[in-house]
Amino acid sequence: MERYIADELTISEIRDIVRESAQGDVLCCYQERIFESGKAALVAEKAVGITLQLLDSDQYVIRQASSRKRSEQSGDKQFTDRQLTVIKALEKVLKHCKKEGVQLIGFSDELVAQPTGLDPLELMSAYALEVDTSDAYKGADSLQGR
């Protein structure tokens, strides 16, 4: 069922709406404040299967949040919230690599680190180090033979 959350509701009233909602319900609102309160209510009430939508004046969805159990999320073909956190951490590490002058080069199933000043085409540099990727890195060449 689709329900609209009025702009003047308090946080406790929004929590009541979330608590009364059933799995599959879609809660819509027009204000960012209501949307953020609704997201907090989804978490606080541990609501499962409810979608919250922030709409613009033309009824287009600007933002959307859905509540699911982590166990349901991991079976999807999308990243879980924990996996997205790991990816963000990896991106930060890669920024640090660039800042500190470390370049990463992928060769088949190997990931190699070497100082930025060296030519990446110089494959056998004495300064290059193989990065232990714990089998998380797969080169595109190795995927073709699957």
Side-chain angles (χ1 to χ4, degrees), residues 23-91:
Q23 194 166 358
D25 283 356
V26 177
L27 306 178
C28 303
C29 62
Y30 295 99
Q31 288 188 0
E32 182 79 25
R33 178 189 69 81
I34 299 295
F35 182 78
E36 293 302 324
S37 296
K39 283 192 337 184
L42 289 175
V43 173
E45 296 300 325
K46 297 180 181 172
V48 177
I50 297 171
T51 299
L52 178 65
Q53 295 179 339
L54 176 61
L55 306 176
D56 68 7
S57 59
D58 294 325
Q59 300 290 311
Y60 285 100
V61 177
I62 300 170
R63 292 180 59 199
Q64 178 172 302
S66 296
S67 59
R68 297 186 296 193
K69 288 184 177 179
R70 187 178 304 275
S71 59
E72 293 173 7
Q73 193 177 22
S74 62
D76 288 348
K77 294 189 188 262
Q78 297 177 356
F79 289 114
T80 65
D81 55 345
R82 293 181 78 162
Q83 290 170 326
L84 289 172
T85 300
V86 169
I87 292 169
K88 290 290 183 193
L90 176 61
E91 289 172 342

Side-chain angles (χ1 to χ4, degrees), residues 90-104 113-117:
L90 176 61
E91 289 172 342
K92 285 183 180 181
V93 168
L94 293 173
K95 283 182 183 179
H96 285 296
C97 286
K98 182 176 181 177
K99 180 181 173 185
E100 296 300 325
V102 175
Q103 61 182 338
L104 297 174
Q114 67 180 25
T116 304

